[in-house]
Amino acid sequence: MKLTKTLALGVALAVAMMAGTASAKDIKIGLVVKSLGNGFFDAANKGAQEAAKELGGVEVIYTGPTSTTAEGQIEVINSLIAQGVDAIAVSANDPDALVPALKKAAQRGIKVISWDSGVAPEGRILQLNPSSNELIGKMCLTLVKDHLDGGKGDFAILSATTTSTNQNIWIDQMKKQLKDFPGLNLVTTVYGDDLSDKSYREAEGLLKSNPNVKVIVAPTTVGVLAASKVVEDKGLVGKVYVTGLGLPSEMAGAIKSGATKEFAIWNPIDLGYSATQIAYRLVKGETDGKPGSEIAAGRMGKIKVGDNGEAAMADPFVYNASNIDQFSKVF
């Protein structure tokens, strides 16, 4: 009888220990990116993992499709729903196509936010923008102007996909603000689908078709790197410049070669960190994420949700020869 009680006590202790182990990872957050193998999102994942470690009891599942398609992201989202995650934070390849899958997630009690590239409001609680869309548009045009003699000349845009939410918003902002940059002439916009090889071909093609283009601005880390390589490979350094949004670690060579004088980006590590913090606070019930609310985001302070259900993390930062060596070691 005593042995039976001892055995029962041992089993109970084992179960309790197992339960304790499980609870160590009791909040699961799916961090869905546009595509895997993208340096920007790999850096964002570093920040997400940092937040998870800092918060404790959090597991971040870093995932995404192999190519930048809505279909691929829908498969990933359905898989996360099946895994029973507590939150999904997605950088969307399409603002509308993901909504049905994300609604299904919400119906299962999963907290859904978008970050970087948003989804339609009906598909998420809030959208975390890396910066103000207006400021990003203005920054891109300012970078173009600063690369042109006298601030005047032809330029072209190399974007990601035609349905990429954030890219389209930033391009729209650039077009709206062109009136404030009378010397700039936008010639064309091409799309490289955030694929290195296609972005390279599109940049190469637009320069052949538009020999008067002096600057390519790419509001995508994949595009700005690919276009810089075209300028270098074709011997166009000093004749054509590339700028836009890039990662210091990837763009250091372009700065040193002269393919670009400067570019801008926010810190993707901070962006992944902030998205994870927000998702966690929603799961814990510390915020509802509604317009007007302020959400604690660890070392990033408090992030306020605007009336449109969107929040902005920080202003873009400019990188050039004076600081590229310092930041290229970070991300």
Side-chain angles (χ1 to χ4, degrees):
M1 187 72 173
K2 186 180 289 186
L3 182 61
T4 302
K5 287 183 177 179
T6 301
L7 181 61
L9 180 60
V11 170
L13 285 171
V15 170
M17 289 176 66
M18 288 174 66
T21 302
S23 65
K25 297 290 185 183
D26 59 350
I27 292 180
K28 292 184 178 181
I29 300 172
L31 189 72
V32 182
V33 299
K34 290 181 178 180
S35 64
L36 298 174
N38 182 312
F40 179 90
F41 293 117
D42 289 343
N45 181 43
K46 289 181 181 180
Q49 300 300 336
E50 177 193 341
K53 184 177 180 180
E54 181 182 303
L55 291 165
V58 177
E59 178 185 2
V60 173
I61 302 171
Y62 178 58
T63 183
T66 55
S67 60
T68 51
T69 65
E71 292 78 11
Q73 285 191 316
I74 290 168
E75 289 183 13
V76 168
I77 290 166
N78 285 331
S79 175
L80 290 172
I81 293 172
Q83 292 176 57
V85 298
D86 299 286
I88 292 175
V90 58
S91 176
N93 284 326
D94 188 292
D96 302 310
L98 304 187
V99 169
L102 293 174
K103 278 187 172 181
K104 181 170 73 173
Q107 289 167 358
R108 304 287 177 87
I110 299 171
K111 304 297 184 181
V112 178
I113 67 169
S114 55
W115 59 284
D116 177 49
S117 184
V119 295
E122 59 267 27
R124 45 77 173 169
I125 297 171
L126 62 87
Q127 155 65 12
L128 175 65
N129 293 316
S131 181
S132 157
N133 292 320
E134 292 81 3
L135 286 175
I136 295 169
K138 183 177 181 180
M139 174 62 72
C140 286
L141 291 178
T142 300
L143 290 168
V144 171
K145 179 182 177 181
D146 290 348
H147 279 82
L148 289 167
D149 290 336
K152 298 180 179 180
D154 292 349
F155 76 100
I157 297 172
L158 170 61
S159 185
T161 65
T162 56
T163 58
S164 181
T165 316
N166 55 354
Q167 300 283 306
N168 288 336
I169 291 173
W170 299 336
I171 291 170
D172 185 55
Q173 281 297 324
M174 279 188 261
K175 290 178 178 177
K176 285 181 179 178
Q177 296 183 52
L178 269 175
K179 65 181 185 302
D180 300 322
F181 296 80
L184 303 186
N185 178 43
L186 175 59
V187 175
T188 187
T189 300
V190 297
Y191 300 88
D193 293 349
D194 256 357
L195 301 173
S196 296
D197 55 348
K198 185 175 182 184
S199 296
Y200 186 100
R201 292 195 305 271
E202 291 292 341
E204 185 179 30
L206 82 82
L207 289 176
K208 285 181 180 178
S209 303
N210 304 278
N212 291 328
V213 165
K214 300 302 180 186
V215 178
I216 296 175
V217 58
T220 155
T221 59
V222 175
V224 74
L225 180 60
S228 297
K229 288 181 178 178
V230 170
V231 168
E232 293 171 16
D233 292 349
K234 301 300 178 182
L236 296 173
V237 172
K239 299 176 182 178
V240 176
Y241 292 100
V242 177
T243 190
L245 306 179
L247 297 177
S249 59
E250 295 180 346
M251 290 296 289
I255 288 284
K256 295 180 187 304
S257 74
T260 185
K261 296 177 183 178
E262 57 186 8
F263 61 94
I265 197 73
W266 38 88
N267 190 328
I269 296 172
D270 289 346
L271 190 56
Y273 175 93
S274 299
T276 302
Q277 286 276 351
I278 291 171
Y280 173 83
R281 308 293 174 188
L282 286 166
V283 172
K284 295 290 286 185
E286 296 177 15
T287 181
D288 56 13
K290 290 182 179 179
S293 60
E294 290 189 344
I295 305 173
R299 59 176 171 77
M300 298 302 293
K302 290 187 177 181
I303 296 177
K304 186 173 182 177
V305 183
D307 293 337
N308 57 356
E310 298 187 11
M313 188 187 72
D315 292 343
F317 184 81
V318 175
Y319 302 87
N320 51 37
S322 70
N323 59 24
I324 191 66
D325 289 336
Q326 173 190 352
F327 287 101
S328 63
K329 297 173 183 176
V330 180
F331 68 97

